[in-house]
């Protein structure tokens, strides 16, 4: 069982959330544990549809359980979708060709549509969120495209963390088959702005999970 990492919020501060999933045989069931709010529970439909679109994964006769940890912290928002999808994909196809070392160094953040396309909607990454990720040893952040930004991939202080903007779940999975060297070569454009220049939207981007 592999841990996939994403970001949540606790007391208005970013926090790393780990996602684990388990698949068993039986009548179909999909449950998300770990104080998952309504918007997180709704990700089940988006994730299942996206997985079926890209992998034709059979989910009949499967009991899928997803755990979001720490389990005692409330989770809200749609940006857990990508991490949940990656975790479920690994559990449904355990022998798939994935660089698990790269996965363990990565954080996944994005909302899925039914076809597996990824976005951040009107949200953006904040300086604080990136700092939290870097402090926890994250080297790569795979995230959806902010609708306000151009379609580029951006490297933040290359010795610390690389942010890779992705359009689809298929694209993420293709990256995760690569070595770290191949990944960096395939990122089309990488620049190294300071964290102060990470977002144009300042304090408006600090709290995009809408947790009370």
């Amino acid at each position: 069982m592999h841990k996939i990492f994403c970001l949540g919020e606790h007391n208005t501060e970013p926090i790393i959330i780990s996602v684990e999933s388990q698949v068993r045989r039986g009548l179909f069931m999909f449950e998300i544990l770990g104080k998952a709010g309504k918007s997180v529970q709704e990700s089940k439909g988006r994730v299942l549809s996206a997985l079926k679109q890209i992998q034709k994964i059979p989910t009949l006769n499967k009991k899928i359980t997803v755990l979001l940890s720490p389990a005692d912290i409330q989770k809200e928002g749609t940006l857990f979708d990508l991490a949940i999808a990656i975790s479920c994909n690994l559990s449904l196809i355990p022998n798939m060709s994935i660089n698990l070392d790269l996965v363990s160094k990565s954080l996944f953040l994005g909302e899925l549509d039914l076809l597996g396309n990824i976005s951040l909607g009107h949200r953006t990454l904040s300086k604080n969120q990136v700092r939290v990720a870097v402090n926890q040893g994250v080297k790569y952040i795979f995230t959806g495209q902010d609708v306000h930004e151009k379609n580029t991939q951006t490297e933040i202080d290359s010795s610390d963390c690389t942010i890779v903007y992705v359009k689809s779940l298929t694209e993420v999975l293709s990256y995760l088959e690569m070595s770290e060297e191949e990944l960096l070569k395939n990122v089309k454009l990488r620049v190294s702005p300071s964290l102060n220049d990470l977002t144009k939207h300042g304090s408006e981007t600090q709290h995009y999970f809408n947790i009370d």
Side-chain angles (χ1 to χ4, degrees):
M1 191 178 299
H2 307 288
K3 289 187 177 181
I4 308 299
F5 299 105
C6 58
L7 276 172
E9 256 190 19
H10 181 56
N11 294 331
T12 73
E13 289 297 319
I15 183 173
I16 298 290
I17 301 294
S18 69
V19 181
E20 298 173 275
S21 63
Q22 183 181 68
V23 176
R24 295 166 292 164
R25 294 187 62 84
L27 293 176
F28 174 76
M29 179 187 71
F30 192 167
E31 61 179 349
I32 302 179
L33 309 177
K35 297 192 76 172
K38 182 179 179 182
S39 55
V40 181
Q41 294 291 344
E42 289 177 348
S43 72
K44 292 183 285 188
R46 297 188 294 272
V47 167
L48 283 176
S49 178
L51 290 175
K52 289 178 180 178
Q53 290 289 332
I54 66 164
Q55 297 282 2
K56 308 299 181 186
I57 295 175
T59 55
L60 292 176
N61 303 319
K62 304 286 187 183
K63 292 183 176 181
I64 304 170
T65 301
V66 173
L67 174 64
L68 307 179
S69 300
D72 61 342
I73 293 175
Q74 183 70 25
K75 290 93 177 172
E76 294 288 353
T78 59
L79 301 186
F80 298 95
D81 287 7
L82 180 56
I84 292 172
I86 297 294
S87 180
C88 289
N89 197 66
L90 288 173
S91 295
L92 287 163
I93 311 179
N95 61 345
M96 70 181 301
S97 176
I98 288 290
N99 183 347
L100 295 177
D101 183 57
L102 175 58
V103 170
S104 70
K105 299 174 181 178
S106 301
L107 184 144
F108 303 89
L109 194 68
E111 175 185 323
L112 292 172
D113 69 12
L114 298 181
L115 296 178
N117 299 311
I118 301 169
S119 74
L120 283 179
H122 292 276
R123 308 170 183 90
T124 57
L125 280 173
S126 73
K127 297 175 292 183
N128 199 24
Q129 288 153 357
V130 174
R131 287 196 182 97
V132 167
V134 169
N135 288 341
Q136 293 297 314
V138 171
K139 291 187 65 177
Y140 306 96
I141 299 177
F142 292 86
T143 185
Q145 187 66 55
D146 165 23
V147 297
H148 298 292
E149 302 292 341
K150 295 180 180 179
N151 183 26
T152 60
Q153 287 80 29
T154 304
E155 185 177 357
I156 305 272
D157 297 333
S158 59
S159 62
D160 295 326
C161 180
T162 299
I163 296 179
V164 183
Y165 291 103
V166 288
K167 293 182 179 180
S168 69
L169 182 55
T170 301
E171 185 180 7
V172 177
L173 293 174
S174 67
Y175 278 138
L176 295 180
E177 294 179 357
M178 300 177 183
S179 67
E180 292 185 55
E181 293 78 11
E182 291 172 327
L183 171 64
L184 293 175
K185 287 180 182 178
N186 279 273
V187 173
K188 296 179 182 180
L189 174 65
R190 299 197 306 278
V191 296
S192 299
S194 69
L195 288 178
N196 289 332
D197 298 327
L198 175 60
T199 174
K200 297 184 299 182
H201 308 292
S203 61
E204 294 178 6
T205 68
Q206 294 293 319
H207 312 302
Y208 60 73
F209 282 88
N210 298 321
I211 296 178
D212 294 331

